[in-house]
Amino acid sequence: LNDNPSHYKITLSGTMKSPKINFDPPFLMLMPVPLDVKTEAAISIIPQDFLRQSQIQVELPELELEDGHRIYPFSVQFPKGKDIVLSSDGTNKELICHISFRSSRPVSFSGNMFFIDEEEN
């Protein structure tokens, strides 16, 4: 280049993949149980395209009973942790989540639980 005002044009292109998570099974149906008895199921959370470590948070539904009381009958546990970790081959490791339900009052529910990362995706 040494005092030669030549112009160079560089074109860059790429594809950005947004992080996402998939579930196995994709939906969950817990069996009816007697009052104050816990029912539980395990799901696999399959993270994809996370480029750095993140942690999963869960927003559990609040249920309103006929008398106006509000309850939180669902709970979740991550027996091996809830960190999304990037493995040496560039993939993300699967997470196991145990979802349980217990209520001392009769209730039926169909709805969503939200699983979000630290950036609220």
Side-chain angles (χ1 to χ4, degrees):
L1 300 152
N2 303 324
D3 296 327
N4 186 356
S6 300
H7 296 286
Y8 294 92
K9 182 178 180 181
I10 297 175
T11 303
L12 302 174
S13 64
T15 303
M16 182 174 163
K17 295 181 179 181
S18 296
K20 63 182 177 180
I21 53 177
N22 291 315
F23 300 92
D24 184 27
F27 67 93
L28 183 64
M29 183 180 294
L30 296 171
M31 297 306 296
V33 291
L35 293 178
D36 220 20
V37 172
K38 182 165 78 168
T39 182
E40 183 175 43
I43 62 169
S44 295
I45 299 173
I46 305 149
Q48 294 179 322
D49 301 323
F50 281 81
L51 300 176
R52 61 181 173 272
Q53 183 170 325
S54 189
Q55 191 174 82
I56 294 288
Q57 302 295 325
V58 184
E59 293 179 1
L60 298 174
E62 174 186 56
L63 306 182
E64 184 174 351
L65 303 175
E66 290 180 3
D67 64 4
H69 283 92
R70 295 184 174 278
I71 60 170
Y72 293 89
F74 293 98
S75 63
V76 295
Q77 291 182 335
F78 292 85
K80 295 183 179 179
K82 51 187 177 177
D83 290 331
I84 296 174
V85 178
L86 187 64
S87 64
S88 59
D89 64 359
T91 60
N92 300 122
K93 294 184 179 179
E94 180 177 292
L95 301 172
I96 301 298
C97 178
H98 292 260
I99 299 173
S100 62
F101 173 91
R102 180 187 301 211
S103 177
S104 59
R105 306 275 299 270
V107 65
S108 178
F109 171 77
S110 177
N112 297 312
M113 288 184 181
F114 293 98
F115 292 76
I116 57 175
D117 67 12
E118 292 170 340
E119 296 177 4
E120 298 187 7
N121 294 311

